[in-house]
Amino acid sequence: MWGGRFAAGPASIMREINASIPFDKRLWQQDIAGSKAHVAMLAQQGIVDGEDAQAITEGLNRIAAEYEADGVPVDLDLEDIHMVTESRLAQLIGPTAGRLHTARSRNDQVATDFRLWVRDAIDEVAAGLLGLQRALLARAEEHADAVMPGFTHLQSAQPVTLGHHLMAYYEMVRRDRSRFADARARADECPLGAAALAGTGFPIDRQATAEALGFARPTDNSLDSVSDRDFALDYLMAATQASLHLSRLAEEFIIWASQPFGFVKLPDAYSTGSSIMPQKRNPDAAELVRGHAGRIMGCMTALCVTMKGLPLAYSKDMQDDKPPVFEAHDLLGLSIAAMTGMIETVTFRTDRMRGLAESGFATATDLADWLVREGGIPFREAHHITGRAVAAAEAAGVPLDQLPIATLKDIDARIDDRVYAVLTVDASVASRTSHGGTAPAQVRARIAQAKKELDS
Ligand code: ARG
């Protein structure tokens, strides 16, 4: 493609290090679409005549059918998807094929193809995240009243409901989807027509190609157009944060599935056994979701580091932008699907959760709050009195609500037997009615609102 200037061909190692076709063949649909939009515009502007444009378009259609049927041929000599397609076009229609590259460079071509690809990738992820939100909502609704221990420092803190806990992940996924939507909106500008770096003297219509490819508008600076990979970084950063959330949820499942917790029974379909220990049921899918998050973050870091030292405009380093995005996208898709499947099919052992919520003095804060409310005692003093009640319950080996009233009165005479009404876990969760609180009524209200959000 640049033979005019060179006397010798590339060394074989040059051919190998230079080639991106082994991975950028994944852009073939976007490459064909970009070329068709470009040639249609060239014809409309009278830069290429109508017959040539038609031959080129028909050739491109035929190449698309070939790729669809047989895959993209990988020829390292042809470097990338742009050259593989152009050289096949020349085989099919002869020298007219050479007119396609008028007023265009591979620099704006690859930037356009990759944006189109990332835009589709975002749509796929958004659909997956929506499915995950629906799964979380359904299970949260089912368990809006189920009491479980809520943790801070992984120590029993206050009772919460399982529905509330699941809805916490719903909120994270909601923000993830919004981050992908933001990324999509920013990626919605078409770099095609920036040419190599400086624009072109041909009377092209950038608005037309942008529109034909479904972009909101053309980009506004040709140098930026060919050297910008923010759209890929935006994707990877959104993917990083989504995978971080998925990993936290996976970690909960791993802890919950352990025998000492026993909060869930993971479905057979997402567990594996051990070849040596017949009793084992390992949470492999959850562990891999946790592991994949590390790899996705690695992909994000890789592209940040690739880009951070590059002057304007295009440098070949940027060819390395695609593998991390492809890898992250595949890993994220798998992780979302696996987590959604687990959420949909996991068995929650709500009796076990309730038992542990009742045994961990988790209603101690409710006793302190009662002392404040009914006894007019300052919270710090109430906290101290409650601490003594917990110590007494611990010594007697009973939950707080089974301490005799005499014992409680010994600790503080202002306590009377109305206190028992707040010491059960059900009373505790039902009382947390503040906005965003764990009371089943609050959780149900949020679920109802979330359903509307998802349907709109
Ligand atoms: N294969 C290249 C890439 O993926 C295409 C752009 C090549 N441009 C260039 N000036 N060598 O980035």
Side-chain angles (χ1 to χ4, degrees), residues 33 123-124 177 281 287 370 455:
D123 292 342
E124 261 176 48
R177 215 152 59 87
R281 167 194 288 276
E287 288 172 310
W370 184 87
D455 291 338

Side-chain angles (χ1 to χ4, degrees), residues 81-162:
I81 184 62
H82 325 297
M83 308 252 259
V84 167
T85 302
E86 197 178 323
S87 103
R88 179 67 185 137
L89 189 63
Q91 285 172 357
L92 291 175
I93 68 167
T96 303
R99 298 195 187 280
L100 170 60
H101 214 52
T102 313
R104 181 177 85 170
S105 148
R106 279 184 299 150
N107 295 349
D108 59 337
Q109 192 179 354
V110 73
T112 306
D113 292 2
F114 198 20
R115 270 190 200 242
L116 287 168
W117 191 92
V118 167
R119 218 174 52 173
D120 291 348
I122 289 174
D123 292 342
E124 261 176 48
V125 172
L129 291 176
L130 181 64
L132 178 56
Q133 283 179 295
R134 289 197 192 284
L136 285 163
L137 263 188
R139 299 311 303 269
E141 185 164 36
E142 188 185 325
H143 295 294
D145 301 285
V147 175
M148 65 177 282
F151 301 95
T152 60
H153 314 269
L154 202 56
Q155 306 282 317
S156 277
Q158 291 174 354
V160 295
T161 62
L162 175 56

